[in-house]
Amino acid sequence: MKVYDVAIVGGGVVGCAIAWYLAHCSLDILLLEKREDVCCGVSKANTGILHSRSYWTPGTLKGEMHLRSLSWFERAFRELGLSPLRCGALTLAFSREEARYLEVSTKSEETSAEAAILSPKEVLAIEPRVNPEIYAGYFDPETMVVSPFALTIALAEGAALNGVEIHCGKEVIALESSGRFLRICCSDGTAYHARFLVNCAGASAVRLAQNLGDSLPSLSFFRGQYFVLDRECQGFVRCVLYPVPTEKSKGILVAPTPEGNLLLGPNFEPTQGEDTATTREGLLEVERGVQRLVPDVPLDRVITTFSGVRPALPERDFLIAFSPSLPCVLHLAGIESPGLTACFGIAEYVGELLARRGLPLRERNDFRFRVPSRAFRECSLEERERLIREDPDWGKIVCRCEEVTLAEVKRALRANPPARTLDGLKRRIRVFAGRCQGSFCGMHLPRILESEGGIPVHGLQKSGPGSFYVLRRDEVATYAEVR
Ligand SMILES: Cc1cc2nc3c(=O)[nH]c(=O)nc-3n(C[C@H](O)[C@H](O)[C@H](O)COP(=O)(O)OP(=O)(O)OC[C@H]3O[C@@H](n4cnc5c(N)ncnc54)[C@H](O)[C@@H]3O)c2cc1C
């Protein structure tokens, strides 16, 4: 019987960051994710901002984790092969009262070294499309944006490359303790054994803790809706544009993405559980919020909408604490914003807490860096020619909008962890993410997933259980004919 040193429950950015961090040490690590893939929870639907130190929340655990994370960024980007968009951010004040907020922020000891308050003229020199009624702006050059999928999947791949076992489709439902180790029971009847368990089940973390007999405060859920604008809008704004934040959130903003799209949103609305629907009212609120910052934002270039849900504790802070009943179980709950930014700090902190309870953290000397897979659309003409010469699949375009080739689809299906759904492919290689939102590649992919991934056309899912892509038996034949 194998006994893992640590079992991590939840393959969001936090669970994957902890797995990757612990993989630097000589340990047997297991990550259990209930969905068919990693990055299917809160981590798949957010703004992707790596908030700079100017935006930390003093006097909170989330603030502490945020600051810790900053010192990890450059090392993590190098080891994971990630290139965030180093775009900076402008916070825009439209009145004297709002400008006072900017002055208070700049006096904080933790403000980014080169951050500065700007006059309207200076703001417009940086971002000419900002509402000319601007009163003052606060420029912070250290803010970055990543693809939250790219970050989470890179962490999972980096962890797997270094021996972490990632098992998807494993919903943890119960724990039994023998004194020396834990027996972890999953809903499909399988069981695993580990010395420590880290519960980072996101929106389900409190429910899981309660299943294990621990009483954590209940979570409330706050939805944020977004518009995604076509890549044609690349360069419309260069920085992240924030309004002055409210007590509840950082507000409705405009953010460029590393892939060239623009994100508009999110609003902040209470919702029931993990309801990620978008609504007319919510999107109208986003529209109004964005137009206040940038009046001529090109809303006729919207290619899709989505929403994400913040799982929040009553204190609006992170909770990272050992279970009162099982001393080798660590719960993480209420990991809302800036959880993506703070993931490295959280991972380091979790490592320290486990070490204090006896987990031996001996750094290994054979840790492997993840080498990112090249995207065809980013290659020069010469590189494209070379790739096609080596393997003709590089010359077969599957997604026209994002120029994704058959070679990239095959690679994503064989990755560790592999894509098992159309959304899993989208998050890795951007099929379905372009202007046509899958109208073209959606005709080819079912057959490719069948022949290369062993996923029968009639069983193919868009995003997980129940989301069958091909609904009628006679449609299967249609896909079979496409070459
Ligand atoms: C609208 C919005 C905007 C945001 N913007 C930003 C931002 O710009 N910058 C930033 O830093 N942060 C941002 N955040 C916060 C950030 O997205 C989250 O803090 C972070 O993604 C939380 O990650 P997680 O791993 O805790 O949760 P999740 O990603 O939800 O991962 C939890 C995982 O656990 C799995 N799971 C649940 N129960 C079980 C079980 N019983 N067994 C096995 N697996 C289980 C789930 O399937 C899921 O995959 C934003 C959040 C939202 C909602």
Side-chain angles (χ1 to χ4, degrees):
M1 180 185 75
K2 178 159 184 177
V3 180
Y4 294 90
D5 292 306
V6 183
I8 297 162
V9 183
V13 74
V14 173
C16 293
I18 295 170
W20 173 78
Y21 176 82
L22 293 178
H24 285 76
C25 298
S26 303
L27 295 168
D28 277 329
I29 312 290
L30 170 71
L31 188 148
L32 297 171
E33 165 54 52
K34 76 172 173 186
R35 296 286 303 270
E36 64 291 342
D37 197 357
V38 297
C39 200
C40 289
V42 187
S43 305
K44 80 168 194 296
N46 56 64
T47 325
I49 299 174
L50 296 178
H51 297 288
S52 75
R53 76 187 80 173
S54 297
Y55 298 93
W56 82 300
T57 318
T60 60
L61 183 61
K62 66 164 89 161
E64 205 186 303
M65 296 299 106
H66 178 169
L67 289 187
R68 262 183 189 248
S69 226
L70 299 178
S71 56
W72 270 90
F73 281 175
E74 296 309 323
R75 173 176 174 186
F77 300 153
R78 211 172 43 250
E79 294 190 7
L80 295 168
L82 286 173
S83 310
L85 184 66
R86 295 171 194 269
C87 53
L90 266 169
T91 307
L92 305 173
F94 290 94
S95 65
R96 189 191 293 260
E97 291 70 48
E98 287 192 351
R100 212 166 289 138
Y101 164 85
L102 303 185
E103 281 162 22
V104 173
S105 316
T106 40
K107 290 201 179 103
S108 152
E109 274 176 23
E110 292 296 342
T111 304
S112 308
E114 293 165 48
I117 293 197
L118 306 181
S119 67
K121 207 171 149 197
E122 289 168 318
V123 169
L124 291 165
I126 298 176
E127 289 289 6
R129 290 188 165 102
V130 158
N131 186 344
E133 288 173 21
I134 180 84
Y135 189 91
Y138 171 72
F139 181 64
D140 179 286
E142 290 179 11
T143 298
M144 296 181 258
V145 182
V146 284
S147 151
F149 320 141
L151 173 58
T152 309
I153 291 168
L155 285 163
E157 288 181 356
L161 185 68
N162 287 287
V164 173
E165 286 183 35
I166 299 180
H167 296 202
C168 292
K170 298 289 174 186
E171 182 181 12
V172 175
I173 51 167
L175 271 190
E176 292 159 15
S177 172
S178 74
R180 281 182 32 250
F181 51 79
L182 299 161
R183 182 166 189 269
I184 304 158
C185 309
C186 299
S187 57
D188 63 357
T190 50
Y192 299 87
H193 300 87
R195 291 192 178 83
F196 287 95
L197 180 133
V198 184
N199 164 15
C200 19
S204 308
V206 167
R207 201 169 53 231
L208 181 60
Q210 287 165 352
N211 281 357
L212 309 182
D214 291 333
S215 60
L216 262 53
S218 295
L219 291 170
S220 303
F221 296 94
F222 299 100
R223 185 165 59 192
Q225 304 192 30
Y226 293 86
F227 290 108
V228 182
L229 268 54
D230 190 39
R231 281 204 287 135
E232 191 183 280
C233 302
Q234 183 161 28
F236 181 78
V237 297
R238 287 179 16 233
C239 308
V240 173
L241 301 179
Y242 292 108
V244 164
T246 64
E247 281 277 290
K248 293 179 194 159
S249 79
K250 296 201 170 56
I252 295 170
L253 48 91
V254 180
T257 69
E259 296 79 21
N261 301 91
L262 270 191
L263 277 187
L264 314 178
N267 65 338
F268 186 92
E269 56 187 23
T271 186
Q272 291 300 314
E274 295 173 71
D275 176 6
T276 52
T278 51
T279 62
R280 184 178 157 75
E281 299 72 42
L283 292 171
L284 280 173
E285 189 189 344
V286 171
E287 192 175 317
R288 282 193 300 273
V290 165
Q291 281 172 334
R292 181 169 175 258
L293 306 179
V294 192
D296 63 344
V297 60
L299 286 163
D300 56 345
R301 292 292 174 265
V302 170
I303 57 170
T304 189
T305 59
F306 70 92
S307 78
V309 174
R310 310 162 176 96
L313 287 167
E315 303 276 296
R316 297 297 309 272
D317 199 0
F318 297 173
L319 181 149
I320 304 180
F322 279 105
S323 153
S325 51
L326 291 168
C328 48
V329 173
L330 184 63
H331 297 304
L332 282 75
I335 313 293
E336 49 170 330
S337 191
L340 195 83
T341 308
C343 69
F344 304 108
I346 294 173
E348 183 185 60
Y349 182 58
V350 164
E352 284 173 16
L353 292 178
L354 296 178
R356 274 187 231 152
R357 295 253 162 138
L359 181 75
L361 292 187
R362 273 185 300 275
E363 201 156 334
R364 46 197 270 195
N365 51 20
D366 58 349
F367 183 82
R368 291 169 67 191
F369 289 12
R370 170 181 174 268
V371 180
S373 309
R374 229 27 231 283
F376 188 70
R377 71 178 166 281
E378 288 164 7
C379 295
S380 66
L381 266 184
E382 292 73 30
E383 284 173 303
R384 288 177 179 205
E385 278 173 9
R386 183 181 54 76
L387 285 169
I388 294 167
R389 259 197 318 275
E390 286 169 7
D391 176 358
D393 285 347
W394 283 100
K396 295 179 187 157
I397 296 285
V398 173
C399 163
R400 285 181 185 159
C401 306
E402 300 291 314
E403 293 180 87
V404 185
T405 66
L406 179 58
E408 290 163 280
V409 177
K410 286 184 175 179
R411 204 173 50 191
L413 292 172
R414 287 172 201 155
N416 185 12
R420 302 301 298 158
T421 60
L422 292 171
D423 277 0
L425 279 178
K426 171 168 98 178
R427 292 184 199 119
R428 285 169 176 81
I429 53 172
R430 286 185 64 77
V431 291
F432 270 81
R435 185 178 301 170
C436 87
Q437 290 286 297
S439 305
F440 179 75
C441 61
M443 290 301 290
H444 301 264
L445 285 168
R447 286 290 290 143
I448 300 171
L449 270 92
E450 185 171 63
S451 57
E452 302 298 331
I455 303 163
V457 172
H458 59 268
L460 177 61
Q461 294 165 355
K462 170 75 169 63
S463 59
S467 62
F468 292 108
Y469 189 64
V470 180
L471 293 177
R472 296 198 330 248
R473 280 221 159 262
D474 53 341
E475 276 186 16
V476 175
T478 320
Y479 289 103
E481 280 160 23
V482 174
R483 289 282 177 277

